[in-house]
Amino acid sequence: EIVLTQSPGTLSLSPGERTTLSCRASQSVSSNYLAWYQQKPGQAPRLLIYGASNRATGIPDRFSGSGSRTDFTLTISRLEPEDFAVYFCQQYGSSPRTFGQGTKVEIK
Amino acid sequence: EERLVESGEGSVQPGGSLRLSCAASGFTFNNYMMHWVRQAPGKGLEHLSAINGNGDSTYYADSVKGRFIISRDNSKNTLYLQMGTLRVEDMAVYYCARSAGSIGTRYGYLDSWGQGMLVIVSS
């Protein structure tokens, strides 16, 4: 099983700031099949990024993903008020699908 | 627009059973793999089970294998999760989700999710 470790656990930032979230895998993620999801309180997760770097439909271009093999990042170029949420990474390259524990981006 | 709407949430005692349903609309249901993912209170996400488009291939996480059964009725565009021998640690919000591909394929990500429903397991 691939273990995904996200860091940091919490980020305290202000609107307009740039931030980078990390997701590190315990072994190489096959074909970089890594996704990022955003979850707001009381809501379901929403797909942001798939294939490590492809934005999902309707996702603003301030969100970008990068990385390969075991090290992946999600960058938000300029935080908007609606971006304060929890972000999860997930690998779907090998069974079982596994999620990271999440990074909370909170308002400073 | 694709939509997934879960139903069947409730409260059961340990050892009890519950069936969750997920009604799909806005897309060709049998073209998609369907999944159940859960989230315990204040915790992360756990992928529990998956079923392919025609229902003849299923996956279960070790945590629910032998206790939960995933199924689908493509004539009703509905996904099900029959949960048995429930434990306190099964208490969580349960989400249904879809993917266009299976594990290890470029479309294996979960691109649409239901709103989630709370299952309480308590004596």
Side-chain angles (χ1 to χ4, degrees), chain B residues 29-47:
Chain B
F29 184 63
N30 60 9
N31 283 351
Y32 286 82
M33 285 198 69
M34 297 299 296
H35 308 259
W36 290 100
V37 178
R38 72 182 177 188
Q39 186 171 34
K43 301 296 184 183
L45 299 162
E46 180 186 12
H47 183 258

Side-chain angles (χ1 to χ4, degrees), chain A residues 39-65:
Chain A
Q39 186 178 35
K40 298 179 181 179
Q43 296 186 18
R46 177 175 72 143
L47 176 70
L48 297 176
I49 300 288
Y50 63 92
S53 61
N54 302 285
R55 271 188 302 277
T57 303
I59 301 304
D61 60 7
R62 64 180 181 273
F63 291 93
S64 63

Side-chain angles (χ1 to χ4, degrees), chain A residues 6-11 13 19 21-22 35-49 63 74 76 79-90 99-107, chain B residues 39-45 95 113:
Chain A
Q6 292 186 240
S7 60
T10 303
L11 281 165
L13 298 164
T19 188
L21 285 61
S22 172
W36 288 93
Y37 301 87
Q38 177 194 67
Q39 186 178 35
K40 298 179 181 179
Q43 296 186 18
R46 177 175 72 143
L47 176 70
L48 297 176
I49 300 288
F63 291 93
L74 174 70
I76 311 173
L79 280 164
E80 297 289 338
E82 62 268 28
D83 299 337
F84 291 92
V86 179
Y87 293 84
F88 294 96
C89 58
Q90 183 215 14
F99 291 89
Q101 82 280 15
T103 291
K104 182 179 182 180
V105 178
E106 63 178 23
I107 298 177
Chain B
Q39 186 171 34
K43 301 296 184 183
L45 299 162
Y95 297 99
W113 297 62

Side-chain angles (χ1 to χ4, degrees), chain B residues 6-7 14 23 25-26 31-33 53 65 92 100 108-109 113 116-117 122-123:
Chain B
E6 295 108 335
S7 60
S25 60
N31 283 351
Y32 286 82
M33 285 198 69
K65 196 175 294 182
Y109 49 87
W113 297 62
M117 55 189 156
S122 174
S123 54

Side-chain angles (χ1 to χ4, degrees), chain B residues 22 32 49 51 54 62-63 73 78 92-94 99 104 107 110 117:
Chain B
C22 171
Y32 286 82
S49 186
I51 187 168
N54 61 20
D62 287 344
S63 58
D73 185 338
T78 302
V93 174
Y94 285 73
S99 68
Y107 299 112
L110 306 177
M117 55 189 156

